[in-house]
Amino acid sequence: MSEGYLPPLDDEDLNASGQPARTGLSDPAQDRDACGVGFIADMKGRKSHRIVEDALNILANLEHRGAVGADPLSGDGAGILVQIPHAFLKEECNKLGFTLPDPGRYAVGHVFMPSDDRLRTHCERVWGRCLKDEGLELIGWRSVPVDNSCLSDLVKGTEPVHRQIFVRRPVSVSNEAAFERKLFLARKVASNAIHDAYKGRDIGHYTVSLSSRTLVYKGMFLSYQVKAYYKDLSDPRFTSALALVHQRFSTNTFPSWKLAHPYRMVAHNGEINTLRGNVNWMAARQASVSSPLFGPEIQKLWPISYEGQSDTACFDNALEFLTMGGYSLAHAAMMLIPEAWAGNPSMDSNRRGFYEYHACLMEPWDGPAAMAFTDGRQIGATLDRNGLRPARYLVTKDDVVIMSSESGVLPVAEDQIIKKWRLQPGKMLLIDLEKGRIIADEELKSDIASRHPYESWVKRTQIMVSDLPLPAKRGVKKTNVSLLDLQQAF
């Protein structure tokens, strides 16, 4: 079967996500959310299966944060993000007949595929072609072993086929950051090609993650079902130095496999109230945005966000776009969720200048939000400027940091804890595994804000309407158009 052949769609293929359509006064886009989120990280970057086990225990203890359907085995979604478990994947791929390169020289992706064999084959052919077009080499595919006996029949009805894709880093790609950008391009091109081939209809294809550093396992689960479903997570060879987990209470969009958290970089407890404006502004920028890192290929990245995505998915898209465009993870997070800077007399002028400058580039993603994020090298969290979502953390004597939407998610002896605290409004917690330490909010933001003269840039370029000279009085041209019509047209 050639790639150009499109398998016909049956009626059941047209709504692979199981999401309801808009009916009467009910619009799924107007729903709201509040979830449970947490992470655990070894500050010194020591990978172990213990980190994965502890993360899954944190997730299980967040069960009360997630919604349960009328069927007690049906949840709104849960998942875990980890660093790539290289030793484990290398042995598993050897069994399949292909060899993985050294860490950093390849990427692995988790892809939700259609259950229909014809559609799945077509999607895999599109992936192969798009990777080749982007100068990347497909190493092979792996079927992710799962046990769906813990799922309800309702959830099984929308269950995708889980495939992991392995991509080799070309010799011509000099560093990991450039490789991540090429993967970003390839993923967008492949997803857009499949989306356009079926005219936007949901056939069950979705790229959960594709990176040389991180890997995501998620789905429409209750918290304890993540470990029971994905067999990989129980293997003692499966190791990581960090893990980000999430249990969803789906009140912003209808629950589905692809809208479970974590996304490719974030997991979120709360709600982005300004979502519609944020998404519209991101779309409006497509006509003018440019980047020397992408050049003319930046056109392949549109759209940044798709219709039907949740607020967190759209935030993840924006954060990923900024970091791929050259911003550091913390810098991008500060742009998207700024502190309360306007009229704040206690904030130093450099930091205020930073926020005022970036307010001209990016409107805030506002709302009650505790946002956890990672790129596989750093992991952190930030709270909205009003502090309307809880987030507490502790640091142990053996350099492990545990953060969650509440305390007590993981039993830790009191004599092993050296610090307990909470995220404060607008503040950021960042753990750098390469530097082996927590970077304090003050140090982090002072460093970023002082890298450029943002305050002088604002003063030199900002034009205040109140400072403009008043125009000379002129005769007003008479018109038969009403004032209200003119105002509405304006």
Side-chain angles (χ1 to χ4, degrees), residues 4 38 51 67 76 85 89 107 128 174 194 228 303 327 333-334 343 350 427 454 466 472:
I51 290 289
D76 278 5
L89 289 175
S174 59
I194 293 169
Y327 290 97
M334 288 172 66
N350 277 348
K427 302 302 181 183
Y454 293 111
S466 58

Side-chain angles (χ1 to χ4, degrees), residues 402-423:
I402 301 168
M403 192 287 298
S404 180
S405 42
E406 54 251 276
S407 298
V409 290
L410 194 67
V412 180
E414 285 293 328
D415 62 357
Q416 295 301 307
I417 299 172
I418 60 174
K419 182 178 182 180
K420 282 184 180 180
W421 196 227
R422 62 181 175 85
L423 274 181

Side-chain angles (χ1 to χ4, degrees), residues 233-456:
L233 300 176
S234 298
D235 194 301
R237 298 170 297 163
F238 194 100
T239 62
S240 178
L242 62 82
L244 174 60
V245 296
H246 188 274
Q247 171 65 62
R248 191 174 187 219
F249 191 101
S250 176
T251 52
N252 192 37
T253 49
F254 197 74
S256 71
W257 286 79
K258 67 181 180 180
L259 293 183
H261 303 210
Y263 288 92
R264 299 170 192 107
M265 298 188 77
V266 308
H268 168 219
N269 169 29
E271 177 190 349
I272 303 297
N273 298 136
T274 57
L275 177 65
R276 177 50 57 191
N278 294 132
V279 171
N280 287 343
W281 275 113
M282 290 299 293
R285 291 189 183 96
Q286 292 175 188
S288 58
V289 71
S290 63
S291 169
L293 297 176
F294 288 105
E297 290 191 315
I298 199 169
Q299 299 299 321
K300 298 177 181 179
L301 301 178
W302 314 142
I304 296 301
S305 295
Y306 301 91
E307 278 296 323
Q309 288 188 313
S310 67
D311 54 349
T312 315
C314 294
F315 182 94
D316 182 76
N317 295 151
L319 182 67
E320 181 183 43
F321 179 65
L322 291 174
T323 55
M324 292 297 174
Y327 290 97
S328 71
L329 182 62
H331 189 150
M334 288 172 66
M335 289 175 63
L336 294 169
I337 304 181
E339 294 179 81
W341 58 271
N344 184 349
S346 62
M347 183 178 289
D348 70 84
S349 59
N350 277 348
R351 196 188 301 187
R352 189 182 302 109
F354 171 91
Y355 285 121
E356 188 171 5
Y357 174 83
H358 286 90
C360 301
L361 305 179
M362 175 68 63
E363 61 293 325
W365 293 61
D366 258 340
M371 190 72 70
F373 49 83
T374 183
D375 61 2
R377 298 171 302 184
Q378 296 179 328
I379 188 166
T382 190
L383 208 59
D384 68 275
R385 63 179 83 184
N386 294 310
L388 296 176
R389 279 292 182 269
R392 304 193 71 88
Y393 68 94
L394 62 83
V395 184
T396 69
K397 289 181 178 178
D398 55 354
D399 296 314
V400 172
V401 182
I402 301 168
M403 192 287 298
S404 180
S405 42
E406 54 251 276
S407 298
V409 290
L410 194 67
V412 180
E414 285 293 328
D415 62 357
Q416 295 301 307
I417 299 172
I418 60 174
K419 182 178 182 180
K420 282 184 180 180
W421 196 227
R422 62 181 175 85
L423 274 181
Q424 296 173 293
K427 302 302 181 183
M428 187 181 297
L429 169 69
L430 188 72
I431 299 99
D432 191 317
L433 276 68
E434 293 182 342
K435 294 181 179 178
R437 67 185 184 96
I438 295 175
I439 304 177
D441 178 87
E442 183 66 31
E443 176 191 351
L444 173 70
K445 292 178 178 177
S446 294
D447 175 55
I448 292 174
S450 61
R451 289 181 183 178
H452 297 288
Y454 293 111
E455 186 179 15
S456 63

